[in-house]
Amino acid sequence: MAASKGLDRPLSEAIEPFPTQELVPYEPSYLSGSSPRSTPSGPRTRSRSPGPDVRTGGDPRCLRPGRPGDTQRNLQVQTEWSAVTYKNALLPVWIAAYDYAGKPYRFLVNGVTGKVSGKAPWSWVKIGLAVLAVATILAIILANSN
């Protein structure tokens, strides 16, 4: 989860996961000559919320097929969180933002896996010209093959 308040959560979650099992302890030399986009925040300012199954009470362990009986009624799940810990980590993410036709676009790249998330602008004129060019080339090939 991004500590930055300026990143759109779905956009940043789309480039996960990061190989956190390979993390090494922080050293100031890692940021020599550059600075992080934002100061990491602690659990009080930005904590990972429980997953959708826990928030809605639909714990998959309780609702999965194979439970005795055909139906379950009045199922209530109470989840308690205790001893929640966290560690800040510096993860390589490239962020690009640009304007196209007066509309802003942003995309993120996971610096480890290369996974990309974001929305690209569509130019229907260019798409139409590309389709027309392919159709013309196919027509020429078909005309010359007969």
Side-chain angles (χ1 to χ4, degrees):
M1 164 175 286
S4 173
K5 295 176 184 147
L7 288 180
D8 185 44
R9 187 173 181 153
L11 195 64
S12 61
E13 286 180 349
I15 62 170
E16 292 179 359
F18 286 89
T20 54
Q21 66 277 8
E22 299 172 18
L23 290 176
V24 295
Y26 172 77
E27 290 183 26
S29 64
Y30 294 154
L31 294 178
S32 178
S34 64
S35 63
R37 187 181 189 290
S38 66
T39 305
S41 56
R44 291 184 185 180
T45 57
R46 181 85 172 183
S47 64
R48 186 174 198 99
S49 62
D53 293 330
V54 175
R55 281 193 304 262
T56 59
D59 190 332
R61 294 169 294 172
C62 299
L63 298 175
R64 70 175 162 236
R67 290 281 180 217
D70 293 340
T71 60
Q72 290 85 27
R73 292 186 198 153
N74 300 324
L75 176 66
Q76 294 182 1
V77 177
Q78 294 180 346
T79 304
E80 288 187 27
W81 296 77
S82 63
V84 176
T85 62
Y86 77 99
K87 288 186 180 181
N88 287 326
L90 294 173
L91 301 172
V93 176
W94 286 286
I95 303 170
Y98 58 93
D99 285 331
Y100 178 77
K103 187 175 178 187
Y105 291 90
R106 177 186 281 180
F107 68 92
L108 306 178
V109 180
N110 180 321
V112 179
T113 64
K115 196 171 182 181
V116 178
S117 101
K119 291 185 179 179
W122 293 86
S123 171
W124 295 108
V125 172
K126 290 179 183 178
I127 292 171
L129 290 173
V131 169
L132 185 61
V134 169
T136 303
I137 292 170
L138 288 175
I140 291 171
I141 292 172
L142 288 174
N144 289 334
S145 65
N146 290 334

